Amino acid sequence: MSINRRKFLRKAGIFTALGFGGISAIAGINKEARAKTPEYELPQQALLAKRWAMIVDMSKFKTKDDFTRVIQACNTIHNIPDLGNLKDEIKWIWEDDYEHTFTEPSNEYLTENFKKLPFIVLCNHCENPPCVKACPTAATFKRPDGIVAMDFHRCIGCRFCMAACPYGARSFNYRDPRPFIKKINSDFPTRTQGVVEKCIFCVERLAKGLMPACVEASNGGLIFGDLNDPNSEVRKIISSRYTIRRKTELGTQPSVYYLIGGRENA
């Protein structure tokens, strides 16, 4: 990596002393790091899309097990630790209530029953991701297929991405997570103390021609596909059914949609 932790902190300290000029200077570091990010080619068997998107069909999440099954599928393959307390919790996909999931007032006419539901929450893989702009080392980057991915080895732990993300979709390893992983999956890298992490839409599985683990475990509750393909299931649902997204007023253009009412009522 061209910009190590010590070099970055030295520059960031200078920019902070300079005041608002530091914002543009940080952007300059971001541009420098991004220019040196190597190009990559996907294998022939990879699942491809112009813009990946996910729909959460809330009618399929009726019991606690429906949530647990999806969350555990993600946690297991991605070596997500169980630290035993909420303060240090590492979250890629999790359960939350309506009040914390949808904070904007634009959904005021939804039924009270819907507002009492728990929701599956994850990174929204925004079309305009503020976290990418905030990352000074290109550890967080947007792929051509719309996925906001991470290179954990580039992360220097500055947590600028966490401050920039309006969805609380990132977690920071305040301690070494490896001792808290019940069974390490050797096919996916573990992280270290001082690294930020989040959902990456299972890019490692897409490269093998597989759907994301959460989608496979959801029994139809999570629908994944190409938003730019008029014939894809996600595009057809979004075009014909009532869906909502989180904090659309911010202009981030989330790629995760929540389906109201279920597909069986179409």
Side-chain angles (χ1 to χ4, degrees), residues 141-230:
F141 59 97
K142 183 183 173 186
R143 299 184 356 152
D145 57 9
I147 293 177
V148 178
M150 283 199 68
D151 183 339
F152 302 118
H153 300 291
R154 280 177 169 256
C155 179
I156 60 173
C158 67
R159 290 178 282 171
F160 287 0
C161 61
M162 294 181 70
C165 175
Y167 303 101
R170 292 171 169 270
S171 299
F172 183 71
N173 287 286
Y174 288 95
R175 64 174 84 176
D176 182 1
R178 292 167 180 168
F180 300 92
I181 302 172
K182 294 180 180 179
K183 184 178 180 181
I184 292 180
N185 172 24
S186 59
D187 293 329
F188 195 83
T190 56
R191 277 72 70 196
T192 59
Q193 183 177 2
V195 170
V196 176
E197 55 182 278
K198 71 171 193 71
C199 160
I200 53 174
F201 265 173
C202 282
V203 293
E204 79 287 355
R205 289 176 58 86
L206 295 177
K208 297 177 181 179
L210 303 172
M211 294 295 278
C214 59
V215 175
E216 287 191 353
S218 70
N219 292 339
L222 301 177
I223 307 102
F224 192 67
D226 189 352
L227 189 61
N228 284 14
D229 179 3

Side-chain angles (χ1 to χ4, degrees), residues 76-146:
T76 300
I77 71 164
H78 293 126
N79 294 319
I80 298 174
D82 182 4
L83 297 169
N85 65 82
L86 294 177
K87 176 181 176 292
D88 297 329
E89 185 180 18
I90 304 297
K91 300 183 296 184
W92 283 37
I93 182 169
W94 67 100
E95 178 186 338
D96 211 337
D97 58 27
Y98 176 87
E99 181 181 355
H100 290 97
T101 304
F102 301 101
T103 57
E104 66 276 18
S106 57
N107 302 312
E108 59 180 317
Y109 297 115
L110 292 174
T111 66
E112 288 303 314
N113 287 338
F114 185 84
K115 293 181 180 181
K116 293 178 181 178
L117 293 174
F119 291 84
I120 280 286
V121 186
L122 66 158
C123 171
N124 283 272
H125 296 276
C126 304
E127 178 71 11
N128 303 310
C131 57
V132 171
K133 297 177 182 178
C135 179
T137 64
T140 292
F141 59 97
K142 183 183 173 186
R143 299 184 356 152
D145 57 9

Side-chain angles (χ1 to χ4, degrees), residues 30-46:
N30 181 296
K31 184 177 180 181
E32 175 190 342
R34 200 167 306 286
K36 296 182 179 180
T37 300
E39 296 293 330
Y40 60 91
E41 293 184 4
L42 294 173
Q44 290 185 345
Q45 71 269 26

